[in-house]
């Protein structure tokens, strides 16, 4: 089998690679390790009510403890969505020493594009310049201007609702109308803005449509907020709703599911990848195909796994690893509930519908003034105000008719601010192959070594104080808050491991997401990231993928690869 | 057809909701315990202009949920804090909540909580007050009451008649007037999660 391009993975970036490469005229083989999930037809729990399910939507906790001990910690993991997450027992990984790392995964067609939080933010030059400025990690070989047109392209296609705010640290994009803040959030926005003009609370920029995209068969959001079950309206961006149909329309896409890539073949003479090898998981049969270019989009950690597992005589430390930095400098946002407050005085207000995004407070520290206490980067908040419902009754004494009557009505407004702190890239935070343990396909499992450092702890301490003072200023009674990050992986923004850089001696990829050691190999998922910023990374992955596809096609046409 | 399926038919609730027949013997409630769980559910959420929790099968849901560890109910308990839990522990250190509750309520009712003359409201109210006193955060009654609420408000009657259930709102109204009569939505997933 020979194709122009092979794309490994079908998630947020794999879908984009398949779309861009097929639309440019290339024949593409997309290889997905998990099962097929068809848009609309296979969202089996989408319209179910809690009373239709054996465990009422909470799921079988005993089963989860045994089979899904990591995935069950994900807030989006429920009885409705468990089919969109991996079985941990069947997909093991190991951790090194004291490492606590929760690796949330979705092995299926569409990958985590089906279950993602859909938060969609541009990065700025505060982010692309961060490593150069404070000396952590290696300098990004690109800046905002390199990516801006690709952000435009991606936003217009996937559909992003949001409100333009003119912030330098969080550049505006090509937005559909933003969803509205509720009454309490609007009040907090105005209060905070009056007292701290540099702090902007705005609606989450989200890949949920507020206007239909009929040309792509996608309808507007129905305000159900059950996205991770799968959305037959196609109202949020997923591979299934958006990039896969576009790639299929070209007639040049071949998709294989239930096929886990074992490694890439490499010719040291030509310095080219010469083939992709995979195992059909249902039959345990080995297969191989060749192509002119290869895009790795298996998800940050799994793309690194493939490269490490592709070691051969010419590349004994792993493919594209002459630098020795492959697997190092992994990151995830340090993430915690910075503040939770009761918001009295809003009992006369309520809302209708389930908005599928919260509010955010954009970064405001360490921009033009270095005002971080013990850290040199940024943090931002995501959260929002909501009214409680029946589940709040578990905290209250009482039984009987009066108790029931109280739970019949919406409870008091609350507001949460969850802090996301920039994670400094460190060499000691790294992925290796655990040669002592293999998975059901006989492949070595991934070993994760990860810890947050003093910078992240300092940032979350300042975030906790800031969050409390903002909510208190708006009349809130702060009842909880933390400055301790959850385990690595909590933010589900694990990234790095095949970082981009200027120098082949200290980085894996160049400015085109192209391997320094193999000109026809591109890694365009989270693995390529050289720093983490403090905003959600998926949009940047997509823009980098579209940009790398354009570069790869040009290089192919010019005969350079 | 097993007993659980018959019960489901009798109550008109989906068979999917009840799988007592799948429980291992040691976690399967006795007939008396099933009656007790139904009664306790009904006392927490009684019948008003909508059904009560016992009416809609919450008793059997409790048995299922407690056997399967929902709401942390199979986590090892710190029995040092409550020595009277010791006799109801499983070998793994988790509490057999149903056995404990039966024993506890019988004791408080002077022998038989289900006896016609027993003051069940008083016994359960006293237990509830103790469980919600300062410093009693880990009290097993809190776990059971949490699951009574879950069982009721995720039932069709609790979720869509007592409260409102709207799978497809179709719009977002960010600011509407609320009155003391405004009904909550069981389909407000964020509120359920974070409430």
């Amino acid at each position: 089998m020979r194709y122009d391009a092979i794309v490994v993975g079908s998630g947020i970036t794999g879908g984009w690679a398949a779309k861009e490469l097929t639309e440019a005229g290339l024949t593409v083989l997309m290889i997905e390790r998990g099962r097929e999930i068809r848009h609309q037809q296979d969202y089996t729990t989408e319209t179910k009510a809690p009373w239709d399910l054996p465990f009422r939507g909470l799921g079988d906790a005993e089963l989860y403890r045994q089979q899904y001990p990591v995935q069950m910690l994900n807030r989006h993991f429920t009885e409705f969505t468990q089919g969109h997450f991996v079985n941990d027992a069947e997909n093991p990984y190991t951790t090194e020493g004291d490492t606590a790392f929760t690796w949330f995964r979705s092995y299926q067609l569409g990958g985590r594009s089906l279950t993602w939080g859909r938060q969609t933010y541009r990065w700025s030059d505060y982010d692309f310049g961060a490593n150069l400025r404070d000396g952590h990690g290696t300098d990004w070989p690109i800046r905002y201007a390199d990516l801006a047109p690709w952000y435009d392209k991606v936003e217009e296609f996937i559909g992003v609702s949001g409100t333009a705010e003119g912030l330098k640290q969080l550049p505006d994009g090509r937005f559909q109308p933003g969803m509205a803040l509720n009454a309490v959030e609007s009040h907090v926005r105005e209060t905070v803005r009056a007292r701290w003009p540099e702090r902007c609370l705005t609606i989450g920029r989200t890949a949920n449509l507020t206007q239909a995209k009929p040309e792509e068969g996608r309808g507007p959001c129905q305000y159900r907020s059950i996205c991770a079950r799968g959305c037959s309206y196609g109202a949020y961006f997923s591979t299934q709703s958006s990039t896969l149909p576009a790639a299929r329309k070209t007639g040049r896409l071949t998709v294989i599911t239930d096929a886990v890539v074992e490694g890439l073949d490499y010719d040291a003479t030509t310095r080219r990848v010469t083939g992709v090898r995979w195992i059909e998981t249902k039959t345990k049969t080995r297969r191989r195909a060749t192509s002119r270019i290869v895009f790795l989009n298996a998800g940050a950690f799994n793309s690194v796994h493939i490269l490490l597992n592709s070691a051969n005589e010419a590349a004994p430390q792993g493919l594209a690893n002459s630098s020795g930095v492959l697997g190092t400098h992994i990151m995830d946002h340090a993430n915690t509930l910075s503040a939770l407050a009761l918001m009295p005085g809003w009992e006369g207000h309520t809302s209708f519908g389930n908005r599928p995004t919260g509010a955010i407070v954009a970064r405001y520290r360490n921009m033009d003034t270095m005002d971080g206490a013990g850290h040199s980067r940024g943090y931002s908040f995501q959260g929002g105000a909501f009214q409680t419902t029946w589940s709040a009754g578990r905290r209250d004494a009482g039984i009987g008719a009066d108790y029931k009557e109280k739970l019949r009505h919406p409870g008091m407004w609350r507001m949460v601010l969850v802090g996301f702190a920039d994670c400094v890239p460190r060499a000691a935070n790294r992925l290796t192959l655990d040669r002592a343990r293999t998975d059901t396909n006989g492949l070595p499992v991934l070993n994760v070594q990860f810890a947050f450092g003093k910078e992240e702890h300092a940032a979350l301490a300042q975030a906790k104080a800031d969050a409390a003072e903002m909510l208190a200023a708006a009349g809130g009674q702060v009842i909880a808050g933390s400055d301790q990050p959850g385990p690595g992986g909590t933010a589900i923004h694990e990234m790095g491991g095949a970082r981009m850089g200027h120098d082949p001696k200290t980085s894996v990829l160049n400015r085109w997401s192209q391997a320094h050691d193999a000109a026809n190999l591109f890694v365009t998922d989270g693995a390529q990231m050289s720093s983490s910023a403090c905003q959600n990374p998926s949009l940047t992955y997509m823009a980098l993928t579209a940009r790398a596809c354009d570069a790869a096609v040009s290089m192919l046409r010019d005969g350079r690869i | 057809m097993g007993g659980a399926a018959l019960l489901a038919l009798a109550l008109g609730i989906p068979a999917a909701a009840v799988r007592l027949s799948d429980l291992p013997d040691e976690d399967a409630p006795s007939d008396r315990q099933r009656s007790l769980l139904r009664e306790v559910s009904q006392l927490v959420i009684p019948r008003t202009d909508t059904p009560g929790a016992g009416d809609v099968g919450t008793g059997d849901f409790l048995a299922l949920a407690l056997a399967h560890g929902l709401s942390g109910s199979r986590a090892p308990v710190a029995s040092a804090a409550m020595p009277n839990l010791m006799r109801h522990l499983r070998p793994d250190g988790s509490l057999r909540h149903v056995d404990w509750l039966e024993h506890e309520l019988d004791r408080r009712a002077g022998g038989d909580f289900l006896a016609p003359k027993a003051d069940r409201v008083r016994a359960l109210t006293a237990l509830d007050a103790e469980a919600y006193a300062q410093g009693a955060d880990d009290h097993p009654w809190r776990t059971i009451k949490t699951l009574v609420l879950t069982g009721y408000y995720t039932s069709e009657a609790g979720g869509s008649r007592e409260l409102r259930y709207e799978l497809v709102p179709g719009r977002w109204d960010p600011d509407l007037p609320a009155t003391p009569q405004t009904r909550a939505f069981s389909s407000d997933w964020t509120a359920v999660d974070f409430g």
Side-chain angles (χ1 to χ4, degrees):
Chain A
M1 287 189 282
R2 181 161 177 86
Y3 299 86
D4 293 329
I6 296 176
V7 174
V8 180
S10 65
I12 279 177
T13 63
W16 263 96
K19 166 179 145 38
E20 293 298 290
L21 295 173
T22 54
E23 288 181 348
L26 275 58
T27 58
V28 172
L29 172 66
M30 173 189 265
I31 304 175
E32 165 53 48
R33 68 184 295 157
R35 68 187 173 104
E36 180 179 23
I37 293 180
R38 293 164 300 174
H39 189 43
Q40 299 169 329
Q41 289 153 278
D42 293 335
Y43 303 147
T44 54
T45 61
E46 182 183 1
T47 60
K48 293 255 196 295
W51 50 87
D52 295 327
L53 301 178
F55 293 92
R56 306 290 181 86
L58 274 69
D60 183 347
E62 264 306 276
L63 173 75
Y64 293 170
R65 191 177 63 79
Q66 292 163 18
Q67 305 279 312
Y68 300 86
V70 174
Q71 307 309 308
M72 67 181 276
L73 302 173
N74 186 325
R75 191 174 77 77
H76 298 290
F77 180 90
T78 68
E79 192 171 15
F80 292 100
T81 63
Q82 71 183 59
H84 289 172
F85 291 86
V86 301
N87 179 311
D88 291 307
E90 293 171 2
N91 295 280
Y93 62 98
T94 57
T95 53
E96 189 72 22
D98 296 335
T99 296
F101 199 96
T102 50
W103 189 15
F104 297 119
R105 293 166 292 165
S106 296
Y107 292 168
Q108 64 217 6
L109 190 65
R112 286 184 292 189
S113 78
L114 285 175
T115 58
W116 70 310
R118 307 167 309 287
Q119 295 297 298
T120 307
Y121 300 98
R122 293 187 177 208
W123 287 24
S124 76
D125 275 336
Y126 292 110
D127 305 311
F128 293 111
N131 287 355
L132 183 64
R133 180 159 82 161
D134 67 16
H136 291 292
T138 194
D139 184 28
W140 279 92
I142 57 169
R143 288 295 184 268
Y144 179 70
D146 296 303
L147 216 46
W150 301 100
Y151 279 138
D152 290 347
K153 177 187 172 97
V154 170
E155 286 162 345
E156 284 183 359
F157 188 73
I158 70 174
V160 178
S161 61
T163 302
E165 298 283 3
L167 303 172
K168 213 168 130 190
Q169 71 277 30
L170 201 66
D172 295 330
R174 304 284 175 100
F175 297 142
Q176 292 195 352
M179 295 174 183
L181 298 173
N182 62 38
V184 177
E185 293 160 348
S186 293
H187 165 70
V188 175
R189 170 185 164 96
E190 295 311 319
T191 306
V192 167
R193 181 159 67 179
R195 183 147 161 202
W196 298 281
E198 74 283 10
R199 300 184 189 181
C200 177
L201 184 150
T202 187
I203 189 67
R205 294 169 180 176
T206 179
N208 290 73
L209 304 182
T210 50
Q211 293 172 336
K213 287 171 73 76
E215 65 281 8
E216 286 141 34
R218 298 181 56 197
C221 182
Q222 300 299 306
Y223 299 97
R224 300 183 296 171
S225 200
I226 52 175
C227 311
R229 299 182 192 180
C231 180
S232 291
Y233 299 92
Y236 75 89
F237 168 81
S238 66
T239 297
Q240 275 84 347
S241 70
S242 179
T243 46
L244 189 60
R248 282 196 164 130
K249 206 162 82 179
T250 65
R252 287 185 281 273
L253 180 70
T254 304
V255 179
I256 300 178
T257 56
D258 306 292
V260 61
V261 170
E262 180 178 20
L264 310 181
D265 294 328
Y266 177 68
D267 182 338
T269 314
T270 60
R271 293 170 61 84
R272 295 287 189 274
V273 172
T274 53
V276 177
R277 287 176 280 110
W278 69 90
I279 299 167
E280 288 181 355
T281 55
K282 287 180 173 167
T283 63
K284 305 295 180 198
T285 310
R286 285 193 152 76
R287 304 280 182 201
R288 182 176 185 274
T290 61
S291 59
R292 298 169 69 193
I293 56 174
V294 173
F295 268 66
L296 281 189
N297 300 97
F301 284 12
N302 280 320
S303 286
V304 170
H305 182 284
I306 290 168
L307 293 173
L308 289 171
N309 201 44
S310 301
N312 58 30
E313 284 178 18
Q317 304 181 88
L319 183 58
N321 193 22
S322 62
S323 66
V325 300
L326 179 66
T328 69
H329 300 88
I330 58 168
M331 299 161 279
D332 181 44
H333 293 138
N335 180 218
T336 199
L337 175 65
S338 300
L340 163 63
L342 306 177
M343 303 298 289
W346 296 90
E347 292 73 21
H349 298 259
T350 191
S351 59
F352 177 81
N354 301 327
R355 193 186 60 192
T357 184
I360 64 157
V361 179
R363 169 186 179 173
Y364 49 86
R365 294 286 184 198
N366 290 327
M367 297 198 304
D368 300 326
T369 305
M370 295 305 281
D371 55 358
H375 62 102
S376 53
R377 298 199 173 181
Y379 51 82
S380 57
F381 298 100
Q382 302 190 9
F386 61 93
Q387 284 176 289
T388 59
T389 182
W390 63 264
S391 57
R394 72 184 186 279
R395 285 190 299 270
D396 297 333
I399 63 169
D402 291 349
Y403 181 70
K404 182 182 181 185
E405 164 60 23
K406 188 173 136 195
L407 296 180
R408 177 174 273 197
H409 310 291
M412 185 182 244
W413 284 90
R414 294 175 163 229
M415 184 147 175
V416 296
L417 290 175
V418 176
F420 287 76
D422 194 312
C423 174
V424 168
R426 297 182 180 86
N429 286 342
R430 69 180 302 177
L431 305 172
T432 53
L433 295 184
D434 187 337
R435 296 285 179 188
R437 190 156 175 207
T438 54
D439 66 13
T440 52
N441 298 306
L443 302 177
V445 306
L446 202 63
N447 178 274
V448 183
Q449 178 172 334
F450 185 86
F452 290 114
K454 61 180 180 8
E455 291 85 355
E456 292 82 15
H457 284 96
L460 287 185
Q462 194 169 25
K464 178 186 176 186
D466 288 3
E469 73 181 4
M470 286 190 278
L471 295 181
Q477 299 166 4
V478 177
I479 57 171
S482 169
D483 55 7
Q484 295 303 307
T490 298
I492 328 181
H493 298 153
E494 79 278 4
M495 62 178 109
R499 69 183 186 184
M500 217 187 252
H502 299 280
D503 185 350
K505 291 193 185 64
T506 57
S507 60
V508 178
L509 306 172
N510 69 14
R511 60 189 277 104
W512 303 109
S513 316
Q514 179 184 28
H516 290 300
D517 296 350
N520 64 340
L521 173 63
F522 297 80
V523 183
T524 73
D525 56 23
Q528 68 189 313
M529 306 306 276
S530 306
S531 72
S532 72
C534 65
Q535 61 271 52
N536 309 56
S538 295
L539 178 69
T540 299
Y541 301 169
M542 289 190 257
L544 286 169
T545 299
R547 179 173 175 271
C549 287
D550 181 68
V553 169
S554 295
M555 292 178 205
L556 276 177
R557 293 202 172 125
D558 296 352
R560 281 181 282 158
I561 56 174
Chain B
M1 199 157 22
L6 284 173
L7 179 87
L9 287 176
L11 293 173
I13 57 177
V18 184
R19 290 247 187 87
L20 290 184
S21 55
D22 294 345
L23 293 182
D25 288 346
E26 59 191 28
D27 284 315
S30 66
D31 288 347
R32 182 174 191 274
Q33 287 175 330
R34 287 181 67 189
S35 300
L36 181 129
L37 292 173
R38 182 191 188 284
E39 177 63 15
V40 166
S41 300
Q42 192 80 354
L43 289 169
V44 175
I45 304 288
R47 187 179 312 159
T48 52
D49 56 343
T50 61
D55 295 331
V56 300
T58 301
D60 281 350
F61 173 76
L62 271 182
L64 182 79
L66 290 165
H68 283 264
L70 274 66
S71 295
S73 55
R74 293 209 55 162
V77 297
S79 52
M82 295 187 69
N84 62 343
L85 300 185
M86 286 296 289
R87 57 186 293 185
H88 304 296
L89 297 187
R90 294 188 184 87
D92 65 5
S94 65
L95 179 66
R96 295 183 201 281
H97 284 78
V98 180
D99 294 355
W100 168 79
L101 183 66
E102 182 181 34
H103 182 266
E104 186 68 22
L105 290 177
D106 282 345
R107 183 179 67 78
R108 287 169 186 271
D112 182 0
F113 180 75
L114 295 176
K117 290 191 174 174
D119 190 342
R120 295 194 277 267
V121 171
R122 188 172 160 195
L124 191 60
T125 300
L127 175 62
D128 186 79
E130 269 179 38
Y132 284 87
Q134 197 84 31
D137 297 9
D138 294 334
H139 200 287
W141 168 246
R142 290 195 180 203
T143 304
I144 296 170
K145 191 163 97 171
T146 296
L147 288 168
V148 171
L149 299 183
T150 299
Y152 181 64
Y153 292 104
T154 63
S155 73
E156 186 162 15
S160 68
R161 288 167 61 193
E162 172 64 15
L163 303 185
R164 291 185 282 176
Y165 179 82
E166 184 55 75
L167 179 65
V168 189
R171 67 178 194 281
W172 164 242
D173 295 331
D175 189 10
L176 296 172
T179 71
Q181 282 71 48
T182 300
R183 295 250 186 151
F185 285 92
S186 71
S187 51
D188 183 347
W189 313 104
T190 301
V192 173
D193 262 12
F194 287 111

